[in-house]
Amino acid sequence: MDQLLWTIFFSPFISFVILFFIFKPFFGKMVRLSSFISIFAIGLSTLLSILILLDLSINQKVITFKPNEFLSVGNLNFGISLILDELTVVMLVVVTSISLLVQIFSIGYMSGDKGYIRYFAFLSLFTTAMLGLVLASNIIQLFIFWELVGLSSYLLIGFWHHKPSAVAAAKKAFIITRIGDFGLLLAILYLFVQKSEFASNSLNPIMIQDIIIAAKEGYLSDFVITIFALGIFTGAIGKSAQFPLHTWLPDAMEGPTPVSALIHAATMVAAGVFLVARFFPVFEASLIAMNTLIVVGGITALFAASIALAMNDIKKVLAYSTISQLGYMMLALGVGGLSAAIFHLFTHAFFKALLFLGAGSISHSTGTFDMNKMGGLRKIMPWTYITFIIGSLSLLGIFPLSGFWSKDEILSASWSSSGIIANIGFYLAFITVFITSFYMFRAIFLTFHGEFQGDISKGDLHESPKVMIIPLCILSVASIFIGFIVNPIISIAFIPSHWFSDFIGHTSGKAHVNIFTNWFVYGATLISFLAILLAYLIYISKNSLFIKVFDKFRFARQILINKYYFDYIYEEVIVKKIFLNGIAKGLNWFDTNIVDRVFGFIGWLSLNIGILLRQMQNGQLQTYGGILSLGIILIMIFFIFF
């Protein structure tokens, strides 16, 4: 098993080394072969991940492999090792399978691009980083790959570096996620301060399993656990684009669309949810940390969904949708529904990757992401249309698609939790259902229905090639069936009921609630259809009454178009006015008028003292003798009187 896991990790890494250091400089003309090397490597990792999932689902045991010692500092030993548990293997399957389908889709999407080999090399590097993060058994190793994920995402977001907007988006993503990472680093350092508590209980503050044991057994105080958990969550806020560090994700759509599907829908942004899930027992030991998850998750879900209502770029609609769904997952973790959160992470990866790749298929034909320049594409691109509808309905949580099962598990978990904060989180999530349904069908109606609004002279509209359609079809099948198959409410064939919830191991009784006995299941479906009807009346039938009512909210719409002015506050107020024109100018004045003058005076003083002392160095022996005698007399006076 140890060798299989290392193979899963090293397979895409070897692909990166071959493509970037051998193919790119020496075999630049063999572009097609480079993609097949990358696909073969990730395909091998996918196959092994599925086999390990099947094996672990039968044996159900956590395996921590013996570390390979790397560094010893005093009593602290740091070794490189892997951990295999239920959470690890679920993430392995998600990362590798989505990466495989994205790379197959990219063959057609990136065809003819000058950076073709570099693109597949960076995809392999990113997959390696994600796999290293998932497999890490100690917190230092996890942090290293956490940062490598940020680096590789920076390279992919800014892949088209000739575009200033792509460069700016890459820098923005890198800087904002670093803010969150600083909190994660502080949490790790704070844990080292408590190393005596670990040593007295024969535990290692580096090992993740030992940290969890220390939290469960009460070896650490509530204050220490809360500070550590909040630090961990700060890192998750940055990577998973939670409020208020969410602004980087929509701008990150400047990268190639398959990158958006891979990084910003299924894997990188899910890393924050994974991080909280990895340390979930630590969060459970702190009520403050759990309530923080609920508040941030609930606000993020509703906040991001509302912004998606006003976006005209289809990729930005999906970007804010991703932020909203990640808020759902954080909310689920906050109410104790670990299995519900990971279940939704699993299903969301497939239907959101489908939607992003569908957006890529649309832009491949139309040459734009602006929905106002689309329309009437359902007859021209029937396969893209059908698969996009499937992905949207799954996102909405319409029975019996995958999103229905995982979304309603989250609603069930939050509804059955006690406490005012948990109840508020439930209603925030429930309202978000209506908004999600409206903005997704607004996108569908503007893109696929009506008449084409773009410039047809730029090229003939066409359906995407088979190499792009096949991944869409595979993801569509997953979006329809995988939710029920993965976590069926009744036993089917050889699949036991609720096996996924039991597999994850933290049901707390919530995941086994019969969702069909809850009013909100039917209520959520009803308001989804009402939202679809409202979108139809406004964008298809163009009902004058609803359009007039819609126009009454122009002020609110302007706020949403400007994304609640968060970008303005961050870039214009905080960065330019406070830091550049305030703090930076103040520091510049202090440096120029105080520091420079002080050191200038010291330099002047040293120079003039040197001129004075130089007068005594005249080369005359009697002068030196006189100075020596004067020195002896002064020493004698000092000795006699003092």
Side-chain angles (χ1 to χ4, degrees):
M1 189 67 76
D2 190 14
Q3 293 174 349
L4 289 178
L5 288 177
W6 282 116
T7 303
I8 291 172
F9 170 76
F10 275 112
S11 183
F13 177 72
I14 293 171
S15 169
F16 163 72
V17 171
I18 292 173
L19 296 183
F20 195 77
F21 294 103
I22 300 177
F23 256 70
K24 187 173 178 288
F26 301 112
F27 302 97
K29 294 181 179 179
M30 302 173 66
V31 291
R32 281 286 180 181
L33 184 58
S34 64
S35 60
F36 292 128
I37 291 174
S38 181
I39 289 170
F40 173 79
I42 193 62
L44 176 61
S45 296
T46 304
L47 177 62
L48 294 178
S49 298
I50 293 172
L51 292 175
I52 291 176
L53 172 62
L54 295 174
D55 179 75
L56 202 66
S57 63
I58 297 172
N59 296 324
Q60 292 194 4
K61 60 181 179 180
V62 177
I63 305 174
T64 302
F65 300 98
K66 183 180 179 181
N68 301 300
E69 290 191 11
F70 182 76
L71 181 67
S72 294
V73 180
N75 296 326
L76 195 62
N77 297 315
F78 170 59
I80 299 174
S81 63
L82 306 178
I83 184 173
L84 179 62
D85 61 2
E86 297 83 357
L87 181 62
T88 300
V89 74
V90 169
M91 289 299 296
L92 286 179
V93 172
V94 169
V95 172
T96 56
S97 60
I98 299 298
S99 297
L100 176 62
L101 292 171
V102 164
Q103 292 199 22
I104 294 172
F105 182 90
S106 298
I107 294 175
Y109 189 87
M110 297 299 292
S111 179
D113 194 285
K114 293 181 180 179
Y116 191 87
I117 298 176
R118 177 167 56 94
Y119 171 81
F120 279 93
F122 286 166
L123 283 183
S124 296
L125 176 64
F126 172 79
T127 306
T128 302
M130 275 301 302
L131 293 174
L133 169 65
V134 169
L135 289 166
S137 66
N138 66 73
I139 200 166
I140 303 299
Q141 189 177 333
L142 181 146
F143 185 74
I144 292 170
F145 285 108
W146 181 268
E147 293 301 306
L148 186 58
V149 166
L151 172 62
S152 53
S153 67
Y154 167 82
L155 296 172
L156 286 167
I157 295 168
F159 177 77
W160 287 320
H161 48 75
H162 58 277
K163 294 169 58 179
S165 57
V167 174
K171 289 191 292 185
K172 185 176 183 179
F174 193 78
I175 291 170
I176 291 180
T177 53
R178 291 291 76 69
I179 295 172
D181 294 352
F182 183 67
L184 174 60
L185 180 61
L186 286 179
I188 296 172
L189 295 176
Y190 183 69
L191 205 63
F192 275 86
V193 177
Q194 314 298 324
K195 61 181 181 294
S196 59
E197 296 293 331
F198 285 88
S200 61
N201 293 286
S202 301
L203 298 174
N204 189 337
I206 288 178
M207 300 302 294
I208 293 173
Q209 291 297 320
D210 286 0
I211 296 171
I212 291 173
I213 291 171
K216 280 184 173 181
E217 299 299 328
Y219 299 148
L220 302 174
S221 68
D222 292 342
F223 180 78
V224 171
I225 291 173
T226 299
I227 295 298
F228 176 71
L230 292 178
I232 291 288
F233 184 49
T234 304
I237 288 175
K239 276 287 193 293
S240 288
Q242 297 292 284
F243 175 88
L245 300 181
H246 62 280
T247 57
W248 68 268
L249 184 62
D251 289 358
M253 299 300 112
E254 289 292 338
T257 301
V259 169
S260 302
L262 176 65
I263 296 181
H264 309 119
T267 51
M268 175 185 167
V269 290
V273 178
F274 164 78
L275 183 68
V276 175
R278 174 62 84 202
F279 290 96
F280 186 70
V282 178
F283 281 83
E284 278 189 311
S286 170
L287 180 61
I288 294 175
M290 294 293 277
N291 285 336
T292 303
L293 288 175
I294 296 172
V295 171
V296 174
I299 291 174
T300 302
L302 183 59
F303 172 85
S306 65
I307 297 177
L309 291 169
M311 295 293 106
N312 292 320
D313 185 312
I314 192 170
K315 281 178 68 177
K316 289 194 174 182
V317 172
L318 297 176
Y320 280 107
S321 172
T322 298
I323 297 172
S324 180
Q325 296 302 306
L326 291 167
Y328 265 104
M329 299 174 204
M330 289 297 184
L331 171 63
L333 290 168
V335 297
L338 174 61
S339 59
I342 301 305
F343 185 26
H344 195 57
L345 184 153
F346 188 80
T347 58
H348 175 266
F350 292 97
F351 61 70
K352 189 53 68 67
L354 169 60
L355 291 171
F356 268 107
L357 294 183
S361 177
I362 294 166
S363 72
H364 187 265
S365 176
T366 61
T368 183
F369 290 107
D370 189 346
M371 295 186 295
N372 291 324
K373 297 179 181 179
M374 298 178 188
L377 296 179
R378 63 190 176 93
K379 294 180 181 179
I380 301 165
M381 309 180 70
W383 285 102
T384 302
Y385 174 63
I386 293 170
T387 55
F388 201 89
I389 287 286
I390 291 171
S392 299
L393 292 175
S394 187
L395 171 62
L396 269 53
I398 301 300
F399 177 84
L401 281 75
S402 295
F404 168 80
W405 306 103
S406 57
K407 182 205 70 177
D408 285 346
E409 291 286 6
I410 292 176
L411 293 176
S412 295
S414 57
W415 175 255
S416 58
S417 294
S418 58
I420 297 175
I421 295 178
N423 292 334
I424 293 173
F426 167 80
Y427 287 109
L428 290 175
F430 195 75
I431 295 170
T432 305
V433 172
F434 179 86
I435 300 174
T436 303
S437 302
F438 183 84
Y439 71 66
M440 281 310 302
F441 269 82
R442 170 181 177 266
I444 290 170
F445 292 146
L446 289 176
T447 303
F448 293 101
H449 292 260
E451 299 296 327
F452 185 67
Q453 303 296 317
D455 185 2
I456 196 66
S457 64
K458 292 183 178 179
D460 295 330
L461 298 176
H462 58 275
E463 181 61 277
S464 297
K466 290 181 180 179
V467 73
M468 296 171 68
I469 293 298
I470 291 173
L472 294 179
C473 293
I474 295 172
L475 288 168
S476 295
V477 173
S479 298
I480 295 172
F481 297 109
I482 203 167
F484 183 73
I485 292 175
V486 165
N487 200 39
I489 60 173
I490 57 173
S491 298
I492 52 172
F494 57 89
I495 304 175
S497 64
H498 298 292
W499 79 268
F500 187 87
S501 297
D502 294 331
F503 182 64
I504 294 298
H506 290 274
T507 60
S508 301
K510 295 171 185 174
H512 288 184
V513 173
N514 186 351
I515 57 178
F516 292 106
T517 62
N518 294 321
W519 64 268
F520 52 78
V521 174
Y522 307 99
T525 303
L526 176 62
I527 65 171
S528 290
F529 282 115
L530 289 175
I532 295 171
L533 176 61
L534 180 61
Y536 176 85
L537 292 172
I538 294 174
Y539 295 102
I540 299 297
S541 68
K542 300 187 185 300
N543 185 284
S544 58
L545 175 62
F546 285 96
I547 291 176
K548 286 180 182 178
V549 174
F550 195 66
D551 287 341
K552 295 285 185 182
F553 296 94
R554 286 183 179 178
F555 176 73
R557 188 167 179 270
Q558 196 62 32
I559 294 175
L560 296 179
I561 289 174
N562 288 282
K563 309 159 193 173
Y564 292 99
Y565 297 95
F566 268 85
D567 284 304
Y568 175 81
I569 293 170
Y570 287 163
E571 296 173 18
E572 298 297 326
V573 178
I574 295 178
V575 174
K576 291 184 180 179
K577 292 183 180 179
I578 295 179
F579 280 99
L580 292 180
N581 297 329
I583 296 174
K585 276 191 175 181
L587 291 174
N588 181 61
W589 180 89
F590 181 80
D591 183 57
T592 303
N593 294 281
I594 305 298
V595 176
D596 286 356
R597 289 185 179 183
V598 168
F599 283 95
F601 173 75
I602 293 172
W604 175 86
L605 187 63
S606 300
L607 177 64
N608 286 278
I609 290 174
I611 293 172
L612 179 64
L613 293 175
R614 192 162 62 239
Q615 304 304 318
M616 292 184 273
Q617 302 293 327
N618 56 12
Q620 296 181 5
L621 188 61
Q622 59 269 30
T623 301
Y624 298 159
I627 293 173
L628 180 64
S629 301
L630 178 63
I632 292 172
I633 292 170
L634 290 174
I635 291 172
M636 290 177 64
I637 291 172
F638 184 85
F639 180 77
I640 291 169
F641 290 98
F642 298 100

